[in-house]
């Protein structure tokens, strides 16, 4: 949609060759990269032939999220790296197209409070929440009975506890329906991603977790559903292609035509649904417990999970130890204050240390 949008600022981690291409195509006023060596490399790649300002680190990310009073900020950074930048963008009152669920998992109540003060509208890019956002347009908040998040079930759906013991990182990185980054793909395999999404839904839509259910739907074509008080249920369907929710968040409240391949229900054949296996995939329960515990428990949940996922990917711990490590860290942390962003960042850092200590005791 080149006629419709102008790219004011971009951020990247280390992939400076792609960023250099994007700078040549979109001529943003400002870009930011994770660290100074990446900025130096980017400058070399551009060869001085650019007016784009190059910034670095947390400060750079915050500038990208707020400078030039953007109409829309697309927050798609993985993990809690963008926590403060997203918070600043919400405080500025911009529309946020939010793909970064960790922000809401770790600091949902702060983000919500800031959005209420500034008037910032948060539009979910996460496919499930994007679906719910679309379905909610059919009724008023009082008419909603519950939200139903769909889950693909991941590559190990139906596996026994014994089978799960032998899961390798390579197998866990093969998601059946979506193509995504490493962390979220492993989180999908453990169902922690769905746990995060329950927390995300509660914060986005202001509902208690008892009114957010999860159903496994392996085809990933029904992206989520809303049940209204009269028992009517609305679902949103579409191809498993993130460009659809991204476009919705960018063009809302309008809809624009596109050239993407449409949903072919006859080709899909069957849509099936089943209950999640909470015994073999305890992460969903852990996420609900963290939400119930309140305070900084969401930040602890996310941080411990990130460390455990890295340890699994590097072969340090078995797949089934991921929830065990997270549960141990959650128990050790107890209830932590989360009235300020600094407290959440402290909780995140401490949980990482605790998780590393717990990891060192896990038999490989
Ligand atoms: Mg999702």
């Amino acid at each position: 949609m080149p006629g419709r949008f102008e790219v004011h600022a971009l951020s990247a981690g280390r992939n400076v060759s792609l960023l250099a291409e994007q700078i040549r195509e979109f001529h943003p006023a400002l870009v930011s990269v994770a660290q100074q060596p990446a900025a130096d490399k980017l400058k070399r790649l551009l060869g001085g032939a650019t007016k784009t300002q190059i910034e670095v680190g947390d400060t750079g990310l915050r500038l990208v999220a707020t400078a030039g009073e953007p109409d829309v900020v697309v927050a798609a950074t993985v993990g809690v790296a963008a926590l403060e930048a997203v918070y600043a963008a919400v405080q500025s009152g911009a529309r946020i197209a939010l793909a970064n669920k960790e922000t809401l998992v770790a600091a949902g109540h702060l983000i919500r409070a800031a959005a209420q003060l500034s008037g910032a509208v948060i539009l979910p890019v996460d496919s499930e929440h994007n679906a719910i956002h679309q379905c909610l347009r059919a009724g008023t908040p009082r008419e909603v009975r519950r939200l139903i998040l769909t889950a693909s079930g991941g590559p190990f759906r139906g596996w026994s506890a014994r089978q799960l013991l032998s899961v390798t990182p390579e197998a866990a990185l093969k998601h059946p329906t979506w193509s995504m980054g490493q962390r979220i793909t492993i989180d999908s395999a453990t169902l922690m991603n769905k746990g995060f999404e329950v927390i995300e839904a509660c914060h986005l839509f202001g509902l208690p977790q008892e009114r957010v259910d999860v159903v496994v739907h392996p085809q990933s074509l029904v992206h989520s559903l809303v049940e209204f008080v009269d028992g009517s249920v609305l679902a949103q369907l579409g191809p498993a292609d993130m460009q659809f929710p991204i476009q919705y968040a960018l063009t809302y409240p309008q809809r624009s035509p596109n050239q993407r391949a449409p949903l072919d229900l006859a080709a899909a054949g069957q849509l099936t649904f089943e209950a999640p296996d909470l015994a073999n995939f305890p992460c969903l329960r852990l996420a609900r417990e963290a939400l119930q515990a309140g305070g900084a428990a969401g930040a602890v949940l996310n941080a411990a999970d990130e460390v455990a996922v890295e340890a699994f990917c590097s072969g340090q711990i078995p797949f089934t130890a991921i929830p065990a490590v997270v549960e141990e860290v959650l128990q050790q942390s107890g209830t932590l204050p989360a009235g300020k962003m600094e407290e959440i960042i402290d909780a995140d850092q401490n949980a990482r240390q605790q998780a590393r200590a717990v990891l060192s005791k896990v038999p490989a």
Side-chain angles (χ1 to χ4, degrees):
M1 299 177 167
R4 179 149 180 170
F5 296 102
E6 186 188 322
V7 179
H8 178 74
L10 289 170
S11 78
R14 284 179 295 265
N15 190 351
V16 290
S17 48
L18 180 57
L19 183 59
E21 255 176 61
Q22 292 172 340
I23 290 171
R24 288 189 200 104
E25 184 172 355
F26 300 110
H27 310 289
L30 168 73
V31 298
S32 176
V33 292
Q35 284 165 339
Q36 192 57 47
D40 297 338
K41 195 173 162 199
L42 180 62
K43 279 175 201 158
R44 280 199 302 278
L45 279 173
L46 294 168
T50 177
K51 287 188 203 132
T52 300
Q53 179 188 340
I54 299 171
E55 298 287 340
V56 176
D58 290 346
T59 315
L61 204 52
R62 207 167 324 151
L63 272 174
V64 163
T66 53
E69 295 180 22
D71 301 309
V72 187
V73 177
V74 180
T77 312
V78 74
V80 291
L83 193 53
E84 289 175 282
V86 173
Y87 192 44
V90 172
Q91 286 172 318
S92 79
R95 171 192 289 193
I96 319 288
L98 188 67
N100 172 247
K101 71 189 79 185
E102 292 90 342
T103 307
L104 288 175
V105 171
H109 54 287
L110 285 187
I111 300 280
R112 254 171 87 184
Q116 262 158 17
L117 266 181
S118 70
V121 172
I122 300 176
L123 286 167
V125 170
D126 204 352
S127 61
E128 294 80 359
H129 307 77
N130 188 272
I132 286 170
H133 191 275
Q134 298 194 42
C135 296
L136 285 174
R137 291 169 81 178
T140 67
R142 282 165 171 271
E143 291 169 344
V144 174
R145 186 189 282 159
R146 64 179 177 136
L147 312 179
I148 305 165
L149 295 171
T150 54
S152 72
F156 312 122
R157 182 176 57 89
W159 284 36
S160 67
R162 177 182 265 281
Q163 285 174 302
L164 288 173
L165 276 173
S166 60
V167 163
T168 61
E170 294 71 34
L173 284 167
K174 283 203 187 84
H175 194 273
T177 47
W178 293 99
S179 166
M180 305 175 292
Q182 173 168 305
R183 163 91 193 277
I184 188 172
T185 303
I186 304 295
D187 282 341
S188 296
T190 62
L191 289 198
M192 183 60 94
N193 180 56
K194 210 49 56 180
F196 288 162
E197 290 183 353
V198 169
I199 300 176
E200 185 185 6
C202 291
H203 289 307
L204 278 170
F205 305 113
L207 286 176
Q209 57 151 321
E210 307 82 65
R211 288 167 65 195
V212 180
D213 283 342
V214 172
V215 67
V216 172
H217 165 52
Q219 296 81 21
S220 298
L221 295 176
V222 176
H223 297 308
S224 278
L225 314 88
V226 173
E227 183 180 284
F228 292 92
V229 288
D230 60 358
S232 185
V233 179
L234 291 196
Q236 188 267 342
L237 288 82
D241 175 351
M242 286 308 295
Q243 292 207 24
F244 288 90
I246 293 168
Q247 176 176 326
Y248 176 86
L250 287 175
T251 65
Y252 175 84
Q254 292 155 356
R255 292 188 184 271
S256 299
N258 65 28
Q259 307 301 319
R260 313 290 303 166
L263 179 61
D264 185 343
L265 279 176
Q270 285 193 321
L271 302 179
T272 62
F273 300 91
E274 63 195 55
D277 175 357
L278 296 179
N280 284 324
F281 297 89
C283 287
L284 196 50
R285 166 181 62 82
L286 294 176
R288 288 190 185 273
E289 287 172 5
L291 188 62
Q292 211 66 39
V300 172
L301 176 82
N302 173 65
D305 177 66
E306 192 170 313
V307 172
V309 166
E310 274 167 25
F312 165 68
C313 287
S314 64
Q316 200 185 334
I317 58 169
F319 183 75
T320 45
I322 296 174
V325 169
V326 174
E327 183 153 28
E328 175 73 31
V329 176
L330 275 172
Q331 276 169 4
Q332 284 181 15
S333 304
T335 310
L336 296 168
K340 291 187 295 230
M341 197 52 89
E342 297 81 61
E343 290 174 331
I344 288 171
I345 290 164
D346 276 354
D348 173 274
Q349 294 300 325
N350 291 335
R352 279 167 208 274
Q353 277 180 13
Q354 279 172 307
R356 285 186 199 104
V358 171
L359 278 178
S360 62
K361 289 181 270 167
V362 176

